[in-house]
Amino acid sequence: MRIFRHYDDVPPEAQAAVVAVGNFDGVHLGHQAVIGEARRIAHDLGAPLALITLEPHPRNFFQPNLPPFRLTPLRIKAHCIEALGVDFLFVLHFDGALARLPAEDFVRRVLVDGLKARHVVVGYDFVFGAGRRGTPRFLAEAARRFGFGLTEVPPVRGPSGEVYSSTRIRDYLVAGAPAPAAKLLGRCWEIEGRVV
């Protein structure tokens, strides 16, 4: 998997991909369903599989005084994403300029002009752009206008009926309940750090 920190001057082999877009914090079973659907479409189209994520997490930008609680720092997230067969990972730096970028401009600059996306896959609750105005419904209209395909993946539920959710996983971990968190993650939660 190749990792890019930009969306302009993308090499030809990374263009016209099927692109899954989201934060993917945790790369939990719901995220894996979104990426899996993108992988299926990429296979059917004979296209590369790409993924766009943001770094740092937007919550860190908008609520800097809250204690950070990332389920997967970038290094771990990249390993999890690579294991799912993604060809290209686009890590966009989330800062004030990106936060203020209107949804329309994100679609045009990043998805259309930058990546030349052939098809875009998002989860049902995906939002983006200034004021969180970009929604799956907004993307559906943009897809028609700009000529790319769009798939919105509905909520994915576990055997108990619980929706796979990064927020729910964090809640379980804060409550000291790693077993139900692991069921939503699809693996045990891990942390990484330097021992001194």
Side-chain angles (χ1 to χ4, degrees):
M1 180 178 76
R2 288 177 62 187
I3 299 176
F4 296 90
R5 294 285 194 153
H6 57 86
Y7 57 83
D8 48 3
D9 296 323
V10 173
E13 63 271 18
Q15 296 176 5
V18 174
V19 182
V21 188
N23 283 319
F24 300 108
D25 187 24
V27 196
H28 58 60
L29 293 172
H31 295 145
Q32 291 176 39
V34 171
I35 297 167
E37 179 63 11
R39 185 175 56 242
R40 184 193 65 74
I41 294 167
H43 179 267
D44 290 349
L45 295 176
L49 174 58
L51 188 144
I52 294 175
T53 191
L54 305 172
E55 187 68 28
H57 194 290
R59 180 176 295 126
N60 293 7
F61 176 81
F62 289 114
Q63 300 172 323
N65 295 328
L66 291 182
F69 190 174
R70 298 279 303 273
L71 293 173
T72 47
L74 181 59
R75 180 182 157 100
I76 295 173
K77 180 163 56 171
H79 287 302
C80 293
I81 289 168
E82 182 176 31
L84 296 173
V86 173
D87 299 306
F88 304 102
L89 175 60
F90 292 88
V91 181
L92 305 187
H93 180 67
F94 194 83
D95 57 11
L98 193 57
R100 290 186 299 273
L101 189 67
E104 170 82 19
D105 290 349
F106 181 90
V107 170
R108 190 172 56 258
R109 290 183 195 174
V110 178
L111 297 177
V112 176
D113 294 341
L115 276 61
K116 297 175 179 41
R118 186 166 175 186
H119 196 100
V120 174
V121 180
V122 296
Y124 72 99
D125 58 350
F126 176 68
V127 293
F128 67 101
R132 299 167 59 92
R133 290 201 167 98
T135 62
R137 177 181 281 182
F138 175 92
L139 267 177
E141 175 56 35
R144 283 189 291 275
R145 196 158 13 104
F146 290 109
F148 59 85
L150 176 71
T151 299
E152 176 188 342
V153 177
V156 181
R157 298 179 186 276
S160 68
E162 188 172 22
V163 173
Y164 295 114
S165 156
S166 298
T167 300
R168 192 72 185 117
I169 293 166
R170 284 187 205 95
D171 291 344
Y172 278 133
L173 291 171
V174 167
K183 286 182 180 175
L184 296 182
L185 271 171
R187 65 185 186 285
C188 290
W189 182 65
E190 62 182 303
I191 58 173
E192 182 179 87
R194 182 173 301 200
V195 178
V196 294

